[in-house]
Amino acid sequence: MKTHEPGTERQGQERHGDAERRAPVARGGAGHGGSPVTVSEEGLPGWLDPVARAARTVRPQQLSRFLPPASGAGRQSAVLVLFGEGARGPELLLMERAGSLRSHPGQPSFPGGSLDPEDGDQATTGPLRAALREAEEETGLDPRGVQLFGVLPRLYIPVSGFVVTPVLGWWRTPSPVGVVDPGETARVFTVPVADLTDPANRATAIHPSGHQGPAFLVESALVWGFTAGVIDRILHFAGWERPWDRAKQVPLDWRT
């Protein structure tokens, strides 16, 4: 994973403003490698219907209190929230940063990163192209097997200045994935949604700065920060969330 990957940054102080706006859903255009970039719910498995519905209706404030600045400032970026179907049913694709990195070593995140000029318009197809491009560069994912079906409202990570567009995808045709650059990524893995909804795997992460947020203890990893926040809200608005003990705490250290 590249060091500019936004999903690995912890959230900081709140910013308000023009965050009511959601990234428009692009319905066409040339994608990475010449492939078309479209957003469509056609042919999705039934279990993804609640997620697609949530993407159409959820408002930014329902996802996070950290919203993009009214000034339009911020580093535009995107992450791919990719749902697949594995041996244990629905699952999500995640990756873990290399332990040797100075910033957030060993922290899991979605594939993603900053928009490049060739990704195009940041208000339409740019985030879609960026999410697919970064996922291919970081995990070896074949973007031709991914159906984009939704875009969540833009969110903000104040500590890094990232404005992040979560792009939702259905892994219609799975392809092999793995570590592309060991210097950046320790592993690429999938997490069953059943494990994410299991109350035994849920906790509240406590950072020394005082920041608190949801966390998941899955696949020998602690998922927290921006990535855990997005997963938590998807589970909630899709109606998949199960009651869990919010008093169960996992302390973080200053390196995280």
Side-chain angles (χ1 to χ4, degrees), residues 8-187:
T8 61
E9 303 287 351
R10 69 179 177 84
Q11 296 170 329
Q13 66 186 43
E14 182 176 359
R15 293 290 296 272
H16 296 286
D18 197 22
E20 298 292 330
R21 297 176 303 177
R22 140 194 330 265
V25 176
R27 299 291 172 181
H32 180 53
S35 61
V37 175
T38 60
V39 175
S40 172
E41 298 179 16
E42 184 177 357
L44 287 180
W47 58 266
L48 269 177
D49 288 344
V51 181
R53 182 168 55 250
R56 294 194 305 268
T57 59
V58 71
R59 296 181 62 80
Q61 303 93 326
Q62 295 176 301
L63 293 178
S64 176
R65 60 192 181 94
F66 303 104
L67 304 176
S71 65
R75 302 168 63 186
Q76 297 296 322
S77 57
V79 295
L80 181 63
V81 184
L82 184 61
F83 291 90
E85 194 152 9
R88 295 182 54 207
E91 59 187 17
L92 269 178
L93 178 69
L94 294 176
M95 49 192 298
E96 185 175 300
R97 290 170 60 81
S100 59
L101 294 175
R102 289 184 300 174
S103 175
H104 307 283
Q107 186 173 341
S109 68
F110 299 118
S114 300
L115 270 66
D116 286 347
E118 59 266 28
D119 293 324
D121 185 1
Q122 67 184 33
T124 55
T125 57
L128 309 183
R129 292 192 185 95
L132 290 173
R133 173 181 55 75
E134 289 283 348
E136 181 178 10
E137 293 175 359
E138 294 175 339
T139 73
L141 172 79
D142 186 347
R144 295 173 296 181
V146 175
Q147 176 182 337
L148 302 182
F149 68 89
V151 180
L152 294 180
R154 294 185 182 97
L155 303 176
Y156 189 55
I157 304 177
V159 70
S160 62
F162 279 112
V163 175
V164 189
T165 300
V167 178
L168 306 179
W170 158 236
W171 208 351
R172 175 177 291 280
T173 306
S175 56
V177 292
V179 174
V180 175
D181 181 357
E184 296 285 348
T185 306
R187 62 172 172 148

Side-chain angles (χ1 to χ4, degrees), residues 189-206:
F189 61 101
T190 58
V191 179
V193 171
D195 288 349
L196 293 168
T197 59
D198 186 342
N201 297 332
R202 303 212 55 181
T204 298
I206 309 295

Side-chain angles (χ1 to χ4, degrees), residues 201-250:
N201 297 332
R202 303 212 55 181
T204 298
I206 309 295
H207 194 273
S209 66
H211 174 75
Q212 301 184 20
F216 300 85
L217 297 95
V218 290
E219 299 296 323
S220 303
L222 173 63
V223 183
W224 69 283
F226 177 86
T227 302
V230 171
I231 294 174
D232 172 78
R233 293 296 81 195
I234 288 175
L235 297 181
H236 175 77
F237 287 106
W240 295 345
E241 184 179 34
R242 297 166 58 188
W244 57 281
D245 183 7
R246 297 173 187 271
K248 177 183 176 182
Q249 296 184 352
V250 176

